[in-house]
Every structure is written in structure tokens, then in C-alpha cells.
Amino acid sequence: MTDRPKLLGISGSLRSGAYSTAVLEALKAALAPTADLTVLTLNDVPLYNQDEDGATQPAGAAALRAAIAAADGVIFASPEYNYGPSGAMKNAVDWGSRPYAKGTLLGKPVLVLTSSPGSTGGIRAQASLRESLSAAGARIVAYPHLAIPNVGDKIADGAFTDEKTVKFLTGGVQALIKEIHLLAAHAKG
């Protein structure tokens, strides 16, 4: 790891024009002076199937795992569907958690954020997603839950339009970067 962390942002929405992807792209621009953020969508990742998880695996799953492994930290950005994260997001955690106790998420610093056009910002999806990430052995950053309500009013043309949202999200990312540096210092010492 260098002083400039490599972050991976995983968008949990498959639709074109997804708010989760838009939030990550806007965050990428906001973080440009301090960190490199790569945004990954999950459109090419098939449903987890242990029968296909051997010496070779589907290309989309292999690419997801490689991206997680190469990142110093991961930002999971999910919409809320039926009080939980999207199926695509849960599926990404499943691929990242395998093989058991050796998956690419094991020990990886992660940050969770949700967004919604509604008033709750997808906060109910966070509990389930955090629990799945915890089971995968990820290091979930201790920071207030990052939920963006009325997200359509807070982002436009690839940028944030609401200063409070930018400060809240970048504060979460700074906590993630602090965790990354802490782990790197511990590994050296």
C-alpha cells in the first residue's frame, strides 16, 4: 500500500443510471486529490454456484475477486430493496467470501453506504449487509451509518449537489483510509 490508497467501490444496482453507481462516481471525483477509487458494477457477476467455484470460475466472479484483492479497502454502495441490500450486492459478498476462511474479503477494510430516493436512505439495508460482511470476515469501519435519503436531490451530472452529503461521505472514507493505514502499520511492525 502507498500513501495514496487504492479503493474499490462496488455498486449494488444493475440498472443504468443507478443512484449507487452515481454516488460512487461522484465520490471518485471528490476523492481524486487523496485516493484512487475504481467503480465496479456487478452486471457480469453470475449468481454464486459452488459447482462453478473451483480451479476455474466465471470470468465476472474472477474479476470481482481480483478487484477486491487488489484494493486496499472496499466501499459497498447498495440500494435498499424490500428492507435489505440488493440481491446483486449480497451475491458479491458471497463470491468475495469464498472459499471459506480464505476469501478476498477476509480482513479487508470495508465501508458500507446506502442510498434511496425515499426518506430513510436505505438504512434498513445496512444491517443485513453489515452482517453478511461480518460473516465474510471483512473489517467493517466503525463510522455512523452512511445513508443518503432523497438521493436524487443530492447528486447531478456526476457530482454532489449537497455539501453536507459530501462531508458525511468523505468523512466515512477518511475513516476507511485511517483503518487502511493502521493495518499497514501493524503489518510492518
Side-chain angles (χ1 to χ4, degrees):
M1 198 216 68
T2 64
D3 286 338
R4 189 172 174 81
K6 292 191 295 186
L7 304 177
L8 175 66
I10 300 176
S11 173
S13 181
L14 303 180
R15 84 178 168 86
S16 64
Y19 288 124
S20 296
T21 306
V23 166
L24 288 171
E25 290 292 347
L27 195 54
K28 178 179 179 175
L31 294 172
T34 59
D36 296 319
L37 175 63
T38 300
V39 177
L40 178 72
T41 59
L42 300 170
N43 299 67
D44 296 330
V45 180
L47 290 175
Y48 182 78
N49 179 345
Q50 191 171 359
D51 292 339
E52 296 178 357
D53 190 11
T56 59
Q57 56 210 239
L64 171 66
R65 285 176 167 166
I68 292 170
D72 296 316
V74 181
I75 301 169
F76 286 84
S78 184
E80 182 176 276
Y81 296 159
N82 300 314
Y83 297 175
S86 68
M89 183 60 79
K90 173 61 170 72
N91 186 54
V93 174
D94 291 344
W95 278 109
S97 71
R98 304 288 193 273
Y100 178 74
K102 296 179 185 172
T104 55
L105 285 171
L106 185 65
K108 186 69 66 172
V110 301
L111 184 68
V112 177
L113 70 89
T114 55
S115 62
S116 169
S119 62
T120 64
I123 195 70
R124 295 170 293 207
Q126 288 212 18
S128 176
L129 183 52
R130 285 170 176 265
E131 188 169 346
S132 293
L133 286 165
S134 178
R139 293 179 63 99
I140 303 163
V141 172
Y143 195 79
H145 288 13
L146 295 170
I148 308 169
N150 307 309
V151 67
D153 298 335
K154 296 179 180 168
I155 193 163
D157 300 322
F160 292 110
T161 58
D162 178 62
E163 190 61 33
K164 287 172 76 173
T165 300
V166 176
K167 285 182 180 180
F168 190 43
L169 292 179
T170 55
V173 174
Q174 291 309 315
L176 174 62
I177 291 171
K178 184 177 178 181
E179 181 76 6
I180 290 166
H181 287 298
L182 178 69
L183 289 173
H186 181 66
K188 285 182 184 177

